[in-house]
Amino acid sequence: MTLRLYNTLTRRIEPFAPLTPGRVSLYTCGPTIYNYAHIGNFRTFLFEDLLRRWLEASGFEVFHIMNLTDVDDRTIAAAAGRGASLRAHVDPFARAFEEDRDWVRVVPPHAQPRATDFIPAMIRLIQVLLDKGVAYRGEDGSVYFAIARFPAYGRLSQLDRRELKAGAGERVSADEYAKEDARDFVLWKAARPEDEAVGAAWDAPFGRGRPGWHIECSAMALELIGRHWGIDVLDIHAGGVDLIFPHHEDEIAQSCAYTGREEFARYWVHGEFLRIDGTKMSKRYGNILTVRDLREQGVEPGAVRLLLFGTHYRQLLEWNDDALAAAREGSARIGAFRDRLEKSLAGDDDPAAAAAAERFRSEFTEALDDDLNAPRGLAALFDLVREGNRLLDGGTRVGPAFAAAWAFADRVLAVAPSARTLTVPAGALPVEREDGIPVRPPEAAPAELADQETWALHWAAVRAAEKRDRNFAEADRIRDVLRRAGWEVRDRRDGSIEVVRVSGSVVAH
Ligand SMILES: [Zn+2]
């Protein structure tokens, strides 16, 4: 085991060794459920998913915590804006997040704490910080962390010490703020009428109020690793680069001041941003892309994963139509090979097949061990697919060793389509006519999958003919007939037609 990870704390790639051999505690900051998570958020969740999967594939027992932030400045503002209670506003977004997460095949965490379920743990933590004199109650009734009392403050984000001195004694009460605002930050915000109105206020010995965003992660992480393994230091803490300051810096200050430990997490791992068509994704540019948008566009989750893993997690990722088209192509190619492999497995591997499998395993392992180099891992997978096709073309026997190599890659990357995609070139769907009307298959889909494929292709041909005859309403009706049976028909720009099985997937994941 020689996994190496880039640690933001030291700005170096370091060999990974957990505190207890064989066991890894992993905390990843989850979504703020005031709205749908976008593809930029999911880039982070997917790199964390890759980390989790790779740790497990490498033999570690992982305890993974990912929180849901259901109380902070943004959730309260969003609930108040709609005149809803906090809970009523965030609950549907919590469910939507889980749906999106499952769709894009992110393995669910072992614990998914919601901040509002851990208020007592937060209050306990803040009380200890008050008792230790590293926190104080401001004249506004809120409780603040005194960064001057924590000498290691700024270590993670490498804040300049002089900058810090300039800000000492001043306070910031917003959940999010810039590096230039490095000053005492809020642990507990005194209740305002707006908070009371949405049900976001709790009693505490130091006054009625609600937690600051940063304390939430510290309290939930410490509480859960304490319960699970009786520990108070995390092995790995991960998130997007935008969380380094202030969120993670503040998490470290609170947690270490509380536990008295030198570290809150031993490895801090951060993923880079994503840009769409060369622009930062933001409400202002109206280019927010969500996972549900992609799902509605009929994009395969495997293709989304392939696109996101095609750029190393520490590099800026460019999302555009070309990249998506290439990823869909690549994922389909991998899926086609999987289908071929399933049908071709017979007896033992020919030595050539066993050697190809062995070569793949070592290349793939080397790539992922090298700071999760997924682009190189993908290249190894495409080599395996190419080699597998070549061997099968030549009649070489491909057996369990080769299949195991394929399954290993699939378990870690999960970039194959969940669907069966039949691509029909332009004009290649002849259709019989009676009295000028295209002959139709039955409306009900056959039970057997192979028959269903023929049936779906037949309907796709009828639909194409109806479109040529300009019967667009009938073409739309046929699309619905197929959809009800779990098939999606898509007209591609080059004139070809894709008929995709989108539900009741043939190969289980
Ligand atoms: Zn967090």
Side-chain angles (χ1 to χ4, degrees):
M1 181 60 206
T2 52
L3 172 60
R4 295 171 310 283
L5 288 173
Y6 182 85
N7 191 349
T8 306
L9 207 50
T10 57
R11 303 295 198 271
R12 274 202 309 265
I13 291 181
E14 299 175 359
F16 174 71
L19 272 171
T20 305
R23 239 171 52 172
V24 180
S25 53
L26 168 68
Y27 187 93
T28 59
C29 291
T32 301
I33 44 177
Y34 74 115
N35 206 335
Y36 297 115
H38 56 63
I39 192 67
N41 305 130
F42 268 97
R43 185 194 183 194
T44 304
F45 303 147
L46 255 83
F47 115 72
E48 293 162 347
D49 184 53
L50 182 68
L51 173 61
R52 154 100 184 259
R53 285 168 180 261
W54 185 242
L55 287 166
E56 287 179 341
S58 306
F60 288 109
E61 181 193 349
V62 179
F63 178 52
H64 177 201
I65 308 165
M66 179 191 247
N67 70 296
L68 296 181
T69 297
D70 61 357
V71 55
D72 77 326
D73 290 351
R74 289 189 293 179
T75 45
I76 292 173
R82 280 186 44 210
S85 74
L86 189 69
R87 197 86 198 184
H89 178 73
V90 298
D91 275 357
F93 292 116
R95 280 195 299 275
F97 168 70
E98 289 180 357
E99 241 174 66
D100 292 349
R101 178 198 67 197
D102 293 347
W103 181 78
V104 82
R105 304 175 188 160
V106 167
V107 180
H110 301 100
Q112 185 177 267
R114 283 174 70 144
T116 54
D117 292 335
F118 282 75
I119 301 286
M122 293 167 200
I123 291 174
R124 275 199 302 278
L125 205 162
I126 295 168
Q127 188 59 56
V128 170
L129 297 180
L130 282 164
D131 295 346
K132 287 188 173 180
V134 289
Y136 61 92
R137 199 155 178 260
E139 61 276 6
D140 58 356
S142 296
V143 179
Y144 292 89
F145 186 95
I147 59 173
R149 303 292 310 277
F150 185 74
Y153 193 81
R155 189 176 149 214
L156 180 74
S157 51
Q158 301 194 339
L159 280 183
D160 191 278
R161 297 301 300 174
R162 281 163 307 177
E163 235 176 287
L164 279 181
K165 277 207 184 91
E170 288 178 49
R171 293 193 284 268
V172 54
S173 64
D175 280 336
E176 290 180 86
Y177 51 91
K179 252 186 180 181
E180 301 75 63
D181 285 326
R183 50 188 80 167
D184 292 355
F185 60 89
V186 75
L187 299 168
W188 186 258
K189 299 199 197 196
R192 304 164 305 167
E194 304 94 286
D195 303 328
E196 297 284 4
V198 299
W202 292 264
D203 286 322
F206 33 81
R208 193 168 166 78
R210 52 105 172 174
W213 171 38
H214 317 298
I215 196 75
E216 297 178 6
C217 286
S218 289
M220 291 184 282
L222 290 171
E223 178 74 17
L224 288 166
I225 56 174
R227 275 188 218 164
H228 192 70
W229 276 335
I231 54 176
D232 60 3
V233 176
L234 283 162
D235 286 305
I236 307 177
H237 195 313
V241 283
D242 52 325
L243 296 187
I244 297 175
F245 189 89
H247 188 53
H248 289 165
E249 194 69 65
D250 293 354
E251 278 189 34
I252 293 174
Q254 301 156 158
S255 308
C256 293
Y258 172 77
T259 59
R261 300 279 190 174
E262 226 166 89
E263 284 161 327
F264 173 39
R266 299 178 58 242
Y267 298 83
W268 287 84
V269 188
H270 292 99
E272 248 307 333
F273 279 131
L274 166 155
R275 290 200 307 190
I276 293 195
D277 299 324
T279 323
K280 184 180 186 296
M281 191 169 34
S282 94
K283 261 201 195 110
R284 194 147 54 98
Y285 304 126
N287 61 350
I288 303 262
L289 179 66
T290 65
V291 163
R292 33 204 58 221
D293 293 334
L294 292 165
R295 192 164 51 180
E296 274 161 28
Q297 289 163 24
V299 177
E300 264 290 324
V304 175
R305 294 177 68 93
L306 185 62
L307 200 171
L308 294 178
F309 292 156
T311 299
H312 189 265
Y313 76 90
R314 285 196 291 117
Q315 276 164 2
L316 191 65
L317 186 139
E318 299 287 353
W319 181 290
N320 54 50
D321 286 346
D322 289 345
L324 184 57
R328 295 177 83 169
E329 237 18 89
S331 176
R333 203 169 354 128
I334 289 168
F337 175 70
R338 170 195 56 196
D339 297 347
R340 185 179 187 191
L341 186 63
E342 276 176 2
K343 282 184 217 135
S344 316
L345 291 174
D348 280 348
D349 296 81
D350 187 273
E358 188 52 43
R359 203 162 48 241
F360 164 77
R361 273 183 180 274
S362 80
E363 278 170 17
F364 189 75
T365 302
E366 217 172 272
L368 272 295
D369 274 347
D370 181 14
D371 194 25
L372 298 178
N373 196 327
R376 253 176 58 207
L378 279 171
L381 173 59
F382 279 112
D383 282 346
L384 182 78
V385 166
R386 203 173 306 120
E387 186 64 8
N389 278 322
R390 202 183 59 82
L391 292 168
L392 289 171
D393 288 345
T396 306
R397 233 180 26 253
V398 163
F402 203 94
W406 154 259
F408 183 58
D410 191 43
R411 196 165 73 237
V412 175
L413 299 172
V415 293
S418 52
R420 182 155 302 210
T421 302
L422 315 165
T423 304
V424 187
L429 284 177
V431 61
E432 275 179 56
R433 287 175 187 261
E434 265 176 35
D435 303 327
I437 299 167
V439 176
R440 286 155 156 67
E443 297 260 328
E448 284 294 313
L449 181 70
D451 300 336
Q452 236 186 65
E453 286 180 0
T454 314
W455 172 87
L457 282 173
H458 189 169
W459 268 121
V462 174
R463 179 176 166 275
E466 295 291 0
K467 276 182 74 181
R468 275 196 302 277
D469 296 348
R470 311 195 66 77
N471 294 329
F472 297 114
E474 177 60 10
D476 286 347
R477 194 192 68 83
I478 294 170
R479 179 191 290 276
D480 289 338
V481 168
L482 284 166
R483 194 172 278 159
R484 276 197 297 277
W487 293 83
E488 189 88 40
V489 56
R490 298 172 194 153
D491 302 308
R492 309 210 18 199
R493 237 178 294 173
D494 61 4
S496 65
I497 297 171
E498 262 180 15
V499 186
V500 185
R501 187 175 161 79
V502 288
S503 64
S505 116
V506 183
V507 175
H509 256 283

PDB file of all heavy atoms in Angstrom, residues 20-35:
ATOM      1  N   THR A  20      -4.608   4.566  12.943  1.00  0.00           N
ATOM      2  CA  THR A  20      -4.704   3.154  13.296  1.00  0.00           C
ATOM      3  C   THR A  20      -4.582   2.363  12.000  1.00  0.00           C
ATOM      4  O   THR A  20      -5.371   2.578  11.089  1.00  0.00           O
ATOM      5  CB  THR A  20      -6.074   2.849  13.941  1.00  0.00           C
ATOM      6  OG1 THR A  20      -6.252   3.719  15.057  1.00  0.00           O
ATOM      7  CG2 THR A  20      -6.153   1.407  14.387  1.00  0.00           C
ATOM      8  N   PRO A  21      -3.592   1.461  11.922  1.00  0.00           N
ATOM      9  CA  PRO A  21      -3.396   0.727  10.664  1.00  0.00           C
ATOM     10  C   PRO A  21      -4.686   0.050  10.191  1.00  0.00           C
ATOM     11  O   PRO A  21      -5.411  -0.542  10.980  1.00  0.00           O
ATOM     12  CB  PRO A  21      -2.343  -0.315  11.032  1.00  0.00           C
ATOM     13  CG  PRO A  21      -1.598   0.287  12.177  1.00  0.00           C
ATOM     14  CD  PRO A  21      -2.602   1.095  12.945  1.00  0.00           C
ATOM     15  N   GLY A  22      -4.968   0.208   8.908  1.00  0.00           N
ATOM     16  CA  GLY A  22      -6.113  -0.484   8.316  1.00  0.00           C
ATOM     17  C   GLY A  22      -7.441   0.237   8.439  1.00  0.00           C
ATOM     18  O   GLY A  22      -8.446  -0.216   7.885  1.00  0.00           O
ATOM     19  N   ARG A  23      -7.469   1.366   9.168  1.00  0.00           N
ATOM     20  CA  ARG A  23      -8.736   2.016   9.472  1.00  0.00           C
ATOM     21  C   ARG A  23      -8.646   3.501   9.149  1.00  0.00           C
ATOM     22  O   ARG A  23      -7.717   4.160   9.584  1.00  0.00           O
ATOM     23  CB  ARG A  23      -8.979   1.881  10.976  1.00  0.00           C
ATOM     24  CG  ARG A  23     -10.239   1.179  11.348  1.00  0.00           C
ATOM     25  CD  ARG A  23     -10.284   0.890  12.817  1.00  0.00           C
ATOM     26  NE  ARG A  23     -10.043   2.053  13.669  1.00  0.00           N
ATOM     27  CZ  ARG A  23     -10.197   2.030  15.003  1.00  0.00           C
ATOM     28  NH1 ARG A  23     -10.570   0.933  15.615  1.00  0.00           N
ATOM     29  NH2 ARG A  23      -9.962   3.101  15.715  1.00  0.00           N
ATOM     30  N   VAL A  24      -9.632   4.011   8.412  1.00  0.00           N
ATOM     31  CA  VAL A  24      -9.578   5.420   8.016  1.00  0.00           C
ATOM     32  C   VAL A  24     -10.863   6.150   8.391  1.00  0.00           C
ATOM     33  O   VAL A  24     -11.952   5.734   8.004  1.00  0.00           O
ATOM     34  CB  VAL A  24      -9.372   5.563   6.486  1.00  0.00           C
ATOM     35  CG1 VAL A  24      -9.309   7.039   6.090  1.00  0.00           C
ATOM     36  CG2 VAL A  24      -8.112   4.844   6.032  1.00  0.00           C
ATOM     37  N   SER A  25     -10.735   7.231   9.148  1.00  0.00           N
ATOM     38  CA  SER A  25     -11.890   8.102   9.384  1.00  0.00           C
ATOM     39  C   SER A  25     -11.823   9.241   8.377  1.00  0.00           C
ATOM     40  O   SER A  25     -10.783   9.866   8.182  1.00  0.00           O
ATOM     41  CB  SER A  25     -11.880   8.635  10.814  1.00  0.00           C
ATOM     42  OG  SER A  25     -10.642   9.248  11.108  1.00  0.00           O
ATOM     43  N   LEU A  26     -12.939   9.459   7.699  1.00  0.00           N
ATOM     44  CA  LEU A  26     -12.997  10.430   6.602  1.00  0.00           C
ATOM     45  C   LEU A  26     -14.198  11.343   6.795  1.00  0.00           C
ATOM     46  O   LEU A  26     -15.326  10.868   6.924  1.00  0.00           O
ATOM     47  CB  LEU A  26     -13.120   9.662   5.275  1.00  0.00           C
ATOM     48  CG  LEU A  26     -13.487  10.443   4.009  1.00  0.00           C
ATOM     49  CD1 LEU A  26     -12.345  11.379   3.609  1.00  0.00           C
ATOM     50  CD2 LEU A  26     -13.790   9.482   2.855  1.00  0.00           C
ATOM     51  N   TYR A  27     -13.948  12.641   6.839  1.00  0.00           N
ATOM     52  CA  TYR A  27     -15.049  13.608   6.942  1.00  0.00           C
ATOM     53  C   TYR A  27     -15.047  14.482   5.702  1.00  0.00           C
ATOM     54  O   TYR A  27     -14.018  15.047   5.330  1.00  0.00           O
ATOM     55  CB  TYR A  27     -14.897  14.490   8.187  1.00  0.00           C
ATOM     56  CG  TYR A  27     -16.104  15.382   8.434  1.00  0.00           C
ATOM     57  CD1 TYR A  27     -17.140  14.963   9.258  1.00  0.00           C
ATOM     58  CD2 TYR A  27     -16.208  16.626   7.817  1.00  0.00           C
ATOM     59  CE1 TYR A  27     -18.264  15.762   9.479  1.00  0.00           C
ATOM     60  CE2 TYR A  27     -17.328  17.431   8.025  1.00  0.00           C
ATOM     61  CZ  TYR A  27     -18.348  16.995   8.860  1.00  0.00           C
ATOM     62  OH  TYR A  27     -19.454  17.785   9.069  1.00  0.00           O
ATOM     63  N   THR A  28     -16.197  14.556   5.036  1.00  0.00           N
ATOM     64  CA  THR A  28     -16.309  15.418   3.866  1.00  0.00           C
ATOM     65  C   THR A  28     -17.466  16.389   4.097  1.00  0.00           C
ATOM     66  O   THR A  28     -18.543  15.986   4.509  1.00  0.00           O
ATOM     67  CB  THR A  28     -16.562  14.595   2.589  1.00  0.00           C
ATOM     68  OG1 THR A  28     -17.771  13.841   2.729  1.00  0.00           O
ATOM     69  CG2 THR A  28     -15.422  13.621   2.318  1.00  0.00           C
ATOM     70  N   CYS A  29     -17.216  17.680   3.853  1.00  0.00           N
ATOM     71  CA  CYS A  29     -18.258  18.683   4.070  1.00  0.00           C
ATOM     72  C   CYS A  29     -19.360  18.499   3.036  1.00  0.00           C
ATOM     73  O   CYS A  29     -19.112  18.493   1.839  1.00  0.00           O
ATOM     74  CB  CYS A  29     -17.679  20.095   3.953  1.00  0.00           C
ATOM     75  SG  CYS A  29     -16.579  20.493   5.313  1.00  0.00           S
ATOM     76  N   GLY A  30     -20.573  18.332   3.523  1.00  0.00           N
ATOM     77  CA  GLY A  30     -21.694  18.075   2.621  1.00  0.00           C
ATOM     78  C   GLY A  30     -22.339  19.357   2.118  1.00  0.00           C
ATOM     79  O   GLY A  30     -21.857  20.457   2.386  1.00  0.00           O
ATOM     80  N   PRO A  31     -23.430  19.198   1.394  1.00  0.00           N
ATOM     81  CA  PRO A  31     -24.086  20.349   0.784  1.00  0.00           C
ATOM     82  C   PRO A  31     -24.869  21.187   1.794  1.00  0.00           C
ATOM     83  O   PRO A  31     -25.306  20.668   2.815  1.00  0.00           O
ATOM     84  CB  PRO A  31     -25.057  19.704  -0.211  1.00  0.00           C
ATOM     85  CG  PRO A  31     -25.406  18.398   0.428  1.00  0.00           C
ATOM     86  CD  PRO A  31     -24.155  17.943   1.124  1.00  0.00           C
ATOM     87  N   THR A  32     -25.030  22.457   1.461  1.00  0.00           N
ATOM     88  CA  THR A  32     -25.953  23.322   2.189  1.00  0.00           C
ATOM     89  C   THR A  32     -27.278  23.199   1.454  1.00  0.00           C
ATOM     90  O   THR A  32     -27.374  23.549   0.279  1.00  0.00           O
ATOM     91  CB  THR A  32     -25.441  24.773   2.168  1.00  0.00           C
ATOM     92  OG1 THR A  32     -24.150  24.789   2.783  1.00  0.00           O
ATOM     93  CG2 THR A  32     -26.372  25.689   2.949  1.00  0.00           C
ATOM     94  N   ILE A  33     -28.275  22.640   2.159  1.00  0.00           N
ATOM     95  CA  ILE A  33     -29.486  22.245   1.435  1.00  0.00           C
ATOM     96  C   ILE A  33     -30.526  23.374   1.377  1.00  0.00           C
ATOM     97  O   ILE A  33     -31.673  23.190   1.740  1.00  0.00           O
ATOM     98  CB  ILE A  33     -30.083  20.953   2.037  1.00  0.00           C
ATOM     99  CG1 ILE A  33     -30.078  21.019   3.578  1.00  0.00           C
ATOM    100  CG2 ILE A  33     -29.298  19.749   1.567  1.00  0.00           C
ATOM    101  CD1 ILE A  33     -30.714  19.803   4.237  1.00  0.00           C
ATOM    102  N   TYR A  34     -30.096  24.519   0.873  1.00  0.00           N
ATOM    103  CA  TYR A  34     -31.024  25.636   0.665  1.00  0.00           C
ATOM    104  C   TYR A  34     -31.528  25.634  -0.762  1.00  0.00           C
ATOM    105  O   TYR A  34     -32.439  26.371  -1.117  1.00  0.00           O
ATOM    106  CB  TYR A  34     -30.349  26.971   0.992  1.00  0.00           C
ATOM    107  CG  TYR A  34     -29.341  27.445  -0.024  1.00  0.00           C
ATOM    108  CD1 TYR A  34     -29.553  28.608  -0.771  1.00  0.00           C
ATOM    109  CD2 TYR A  34     -28.183  26.723  -0.257  1.00  0.00           C
ATOM    110  CE1 TYR A  34     -28.637  29.038  -1.708  1.00  0.00           C
ATOM    111  CE2 TYR A  34     -27.262  27.145  -1.192  1.00  0.00           C
ATOM    112  CZ  TYR A  34     -27.489  28.298  -1.920  1.00  0.00           C
ATOM    113  OH  TYR A  34     -26.582  28.709  -2.855  1.00  0.00           O
ATOM    114  N   ASN A  35     -30.894  24.786  -1.607  1.00  0.00           N
ATOM    115  CA  ASN A  35     -31.180  24.760  -3.032  1.00  0.00           C
ATOM    116  C   ASN A  35     -30.653  23.441  -3.589  1.00  0.00           C
ATOM    117  O   ASN A  35     -30.086  22.648  -2.838  1.00  0.00           O
ATOM    118  CB  ASN A  35     -30.451  25.933  -3.700  1.00  0.00           C
ATOM    119  CG  ASN A  35     -31.142  26.385  -4.968  1.00  0.00           C
ATOM    120  OD1 ASN A  35     -31.849  25.603  -5.600  1.00  0.00           O
ATOM    121  ND2 ASN A  35     -30.946  27.633  -5.332  1.00  0.00           N
TER     122      ASN A  35
END
